[in-house]
Amino acid sequence: VCDENQQVTSECLEAARIATNKYMITNAGRDFFHIRIRPHPYHVLRINKTLSCAGADRLSTGMRGAFGKAYGTAARVKIGQVLISIR
C-alpha cells in the first residue's frame, strides 16, 4: 500500500516483483501463490539533455523546444493505493 502521492517507475515495479517472487518461492513454495502488480506504468517520463562543457552555448538551444525525449515510464500512485497483491 502506498503512503504518499508519487511516481513509481517501471524499473521499481519490476524490482519489487522479483523480490516478492523470490521471497514467496522460499517461504510458500513455487506453485502456491499468485502475484499481481496493480499499477501500470503509462506515464511517459521525458528528459531534455543539455551540454555543460565549453562551447555548449553554440550547440544547445536551451529551453527552446524543450519537450525532450522519452526517458522511461512510470505509474502515478495515490495515497492508500494497493501496489502488489498476493493470493
Side-chain angles (χ1 to χ4, degrees):
V1 177
C2 186
D3 291 336
E4 57 188 55
N5 291 333
Q6 58 189 353
Q7 294 181 356
V8 181
T9 61
S10 59
E11 291 87 3
C12 175
L13 292 172
E14 179 68 12
R17 183 193 66 81
I18 291 171
T20 305
N21 197 22
K22 188 178 290 187
Y23 179 82
M24 291 302 291
I25 285 174
T26 57
N27 290 333
R30 183 171 291 277
D31 297 327
F32 300 106
F33 65 93
H34 179 261
I35 298 173
R36 172 166 287 167
I37 305 295
R38 302 289 288 275
H40 295 285
Y42 291 131
H43 187 73
V44 177
L45 302 175
R46 298 188 170 273
I47 186 168
N48 181 26
K49 290 187 178 178
T50 58
L51 298 173
S52 61
C53 57
D57 54 341
R58 291 190 300 272
L59 298 175
S60 66
T61 59
M63 290 302 290
R64 185 189 312 145
F67 187 63
K69 292 189 167 118
Y71 180 66
T73 56
R76 303 188 84 168
V77 295
K78 299 193 178 347
I79 296 172
Q81 184 174 345
V82 176
L83 299 179
I84 299 174
S85 58
I86 302 173
R87 292 191 292 137

